[in-house]
Structures are given as structure tokens and as C-alpha cells.
Amino acid sequence: MTGLCNGRVVVVTGAGRGLGRAHALAFAAEGAKVVVNDLGVGLDGTGAGAGPAQQVVDEITASGGEAVAHGGDIATADGAASLVATALDAFGRLDTLVNNAGFLRDRMLVNLGEDDWDAVMRVHLKGHFLPLRHAAAYWRAEAKAGREPVARVINTSSGAGLLGSVGQGNYAAAKAGIVGLTLVASAEMGRYGVQVNAIAPAARTRMTEQTFAETMAAPSGGGFDAMAPENVSPLVVWLGSAASACVTGRVFEAEAGRITVMEGWRPGPTADKGARWTPTEAGETTLKLLAAAEPPHPVYGTH
Ligand SMILES: NC(=O)c1ccc[n+]([C@@H]2O[C@H](COP(=O)([O-])OP(=O)(O)OC[C@H]3O[C@@H](n4cnc5c(N)ncnc54)[C@H](O)[C@@H]3O)[C@@H](O)[C@H]2O)c1
């Protein structure tokens, strides 16, 4: 099998279902050897099972590709360490890490319990940090040994993290944190040949099919199935390939047939008194600056 990722070794977390599964299959179709991680949990992160990861491995091997399953929890030090070790043991190297695993515990803030906050922050934010941390240590060691990596990391944020989303305070905070982590990792790891980007996807998976059933439905008469998760994967595969040289520290929205470069926080209208404002002056000046500023995009769920 030859393709854009021929010979590369790719780890995809949460690849037993939904977007991660689509990414794993798409990488394999482009010649990558894939470590398919999935803990096999329910939609709220409870339970566990080896089934989903192994099914995707079976699909890849049935089409002539190479893949191994990893059933660990990527938000634990052991799970993240063994994830990277699985790539090295099975295929001798690691080139691309796709951080994708996660789940939801949606509640309005007044009802959001500490457990639901911790669980969602843990799986998304720590579940990105730990695999990244272990992969980064491997790539730095490779670079120091004179084997300059052509390494790629694709993190998974969300429109909720970029714009906010009603009923998802825990998830939006974690996904915004992933953008910050992406920027730092990109800046720190560039010297070792590692590029780090993030996507904010939208697709029909079990995570969205109840909330967005109508807008995400497959077309009944055939045609382009816009919200199929497979539509997000081509950008992820390209970002995970050697072909995406010099693209790092960026955030992309990807859904249906659309790819959008998200332009992040940057200074807008500004005023400098050269001395300390009084609160009244600060307020008057701030109102003038706001009048000259771009209005923010609406928070998801408010329109
Ligand atoms: N579907 C969308 O429209 C959408 C939009 C924005 C962001 N996302 C993000 O995309 C990613 C994939 O979501 P999806 O829609 O495919 O959901 P999904 O539920 O279909 O898939 C997520 C997978 O992650 C696995 N998982 C959960 N916790 C894990 C852990 N600790 N260790 C290993 N595996 C674990 C689950 O078992 C599941 O198979 C998530 O990070 C999600 O937040 C999805």
C-alpha cells in the first residue's frame, strides 16, 4: 500500500468509533501503520471494553493495512506511556500522534457537579497532555541522537472551545485549554522537528447524533453525506503527513467539504494613558474601544 503517509507510524486516540475511527482508516488507506487506541467507554466516559479498537484494527488489516490495538486510558500516565511504547514495539517508530479521545458530561453551570467537571477536564486536557508529553520525550531523544523527526501532532479542540457553548462549561474550558496547549507545544517542539496543530471538527457521531439529529442526518436520496466523520479525516491525514511542512501552531475548523483557518485572539482597539486610569476613566475608555471593536461571534446555543 502506498500513499501520502507511506511508512509512517500513526497513533490515534479514541479511534474505536466516530472521528477517530475515520482518521485511523484514512491514515491506513494512505499507507500508515496505525496504533488504534480506544478504551471503549460509554458516551459519558463510564464502562470500558476492548471491542471498538480491535474492530478497527480488523477493518484495517482486512483491507491489507497494518494496525495494532491499544486499550489503555490515555488520561493516565501508564496509558499514555504504553501507547507510545506500543507504537515503538509494534512498528519501531512513531511519526504522528492524533489526540482525539474524549466524552461529554453536559450540564448548565448551576447544575455542573465537581465530578463531571473533573472527568471532562481529565479526559480531554490531561488526555491530550500525557500522550503529547510521552511522544515529545521520544522525539526529543530522536533529535538528540541525530535522527531529526518529521513528526506531527494533531489535537482535537471544538467550536465549543473556540466560541463557547451553552451547557458545556466543562467541555468548552477543556477544549479552549487544548488550543493553548497546542500553541505552546508547537513553539517548544519545533526545534525537534515536531509540528503541532489543532482541529475543531463537526460530524455525525454518537457524541452529536442526539443533539444535532436533524442537521447532521445523512441525505435520504444519496449524494454527499456532508456530516460523515470521514469528511474531517483528509485534513487530519495531510496535517499528519510529511507533506504539511511548515504548518504548525494553527487551528482549523473542518466539517463536511469545508476547511477554515481559525484566526485567534489578537489585539484589537487599544488605548494607553501612560499612567493609571481612574475606574471611571477606564470605563469610559473601554466603552469607546468596544464601540470600535469587532463584535464577538455568538456563543453556540444562544442563537
Ligand atoms: N462529533 C463532533 O461533531 C465533534 C465536534 C467537536 C469536537 N469533537 C471531538 O472529537 C473527538 C472525537 O469525538 P467523536 O464525536 O468521534 O466521539 P465518539 O464518542 O464517537 O468517539 C470518542 C471515542 O473516544 C474513546 N475514549 C473516551 N475516553 C477515552 C480514554 N480515556 N482513553 C481512550 N479512549 C477513550 C471512546 O471510547 C470513543 O470510542 C472528541 O475529542 C470530541 O470532543 C467532536
Side-chain angles (χ1 to χ4, degrees):
M1 212 178 264
T2 58
L4 197 61
C5 292
N6 196 28
R8 290 179 75 78
V9 174
V10 178
V11 167
V12 185
T13 71
R17 304 186 181 90
L19 284 157
R21 171 182 171 275
H23 301 338
L25 293 170
F27 272 111
E30 291 293 336
K33 298 169 188 172
V34 186
V35 178
V36 178
N37 159 269
D38 207 293
L39 190 55
V41 296
L43 192 48
D44 65 352
T46 56
Q54 190 56 48
Q55 276 168 25
V56 175
V57 168
D58 292 345
E59 280 184 80
I60 290 172
T61 48
S63 345
E66 286 184 70
V68 291
H70 175 271
D73 180 346
I74 45 79
T76 64
D78 281 354
S82 65
L83 181 66
V84 172
T86 298
L88 303 183
D89 291 348
F91 302 124
R93 54 188 294 125
L94 172 61
D95 300 290
T96 297
L97 167 66
V98 182
N99 283 316
N100 163 84
F103 55 77
L104 297 176
R105 301 266 182 99
D106 291 358
R107 302 272 186 286
M108 290 302 210
L109 283 175
V110 290
N111 294 321
L112 183 57
E114 194 177 341
D115 286 353
D116 291 336
W117 173 269
D118 286 346
V120 167
M121 293 302 280
R122 177 183 168 279
V123 73
H124 290 282
L125 207 40
K126 201 168 175 185
H128 269 61
F129 162 62
L130 286 174
L132 176 59
R133 162 83 180 69
H134 286 274
Y138 161 73
W139 285 320
R140 187 183 62 173
E142 285 291 288
K144 290 202 163 169
R147 295 182 293 271
E148 176 80 349
V150 181
R152 307 285 187 255
V153 179
I154 297 93
N155 292 331
T156 306
S157 184
S158 165
L162 303 177
L163 301 180
S165 177
V166 170
Q168 296 193 305
N170 49 359
Y171 181 72
K175 291 302 199 185
I178 285 169
V179 172
L181 180 65
T182 300
L183 301 179
V184 173
S186 167
E188 289 187 1
M189 295 303 295
R191 77 190 71 164
Y192 304 120
V194 186
Q195 295 181 181
V196 188
N197 293 286
I199 60 158
R204 183 182 61 249
T205 67
R206 67 177 186 166
M207 199 179 266
T208 52
E209 66 190 354
Q210 283 160 4
T211 324
F212 304 108
E214 281 174 29
T215 47
M216 297 248 174
S220 51
F224 180 43
D225 181 3
M227 299 320 292
E230 289 75 14
N231 298 332
V232 176
S233 302
L235 172 65
V236 175
V237 169
W238 182 78
L239 287 171
S241 75
S244 63
C246 301
V247 179
T248 190
R250 296 302 193 122
V251 180
F252 303 90
E253 265 191 357
E255 73 170 270
R258 182 182 297 278
I259 295 168
T260 306
V261 179
M262 299 304 283
E263 298 185 323
W265 292 105
R266 63 189 66 231
T270 181
D272 184 356
K273 183 181 171 184
R276 185 177 302 160
W277 307 95
T278 68
T280 302
E281 284 174 339
E284 285 167 356
T285 304
T286 300
L287 289 174
K288 281 185 200 145
L289 295 177
L290 286 172
E294 291 282 333
H297 282 265
V299 171
Y300 284 104
T302 58
H303 55 290

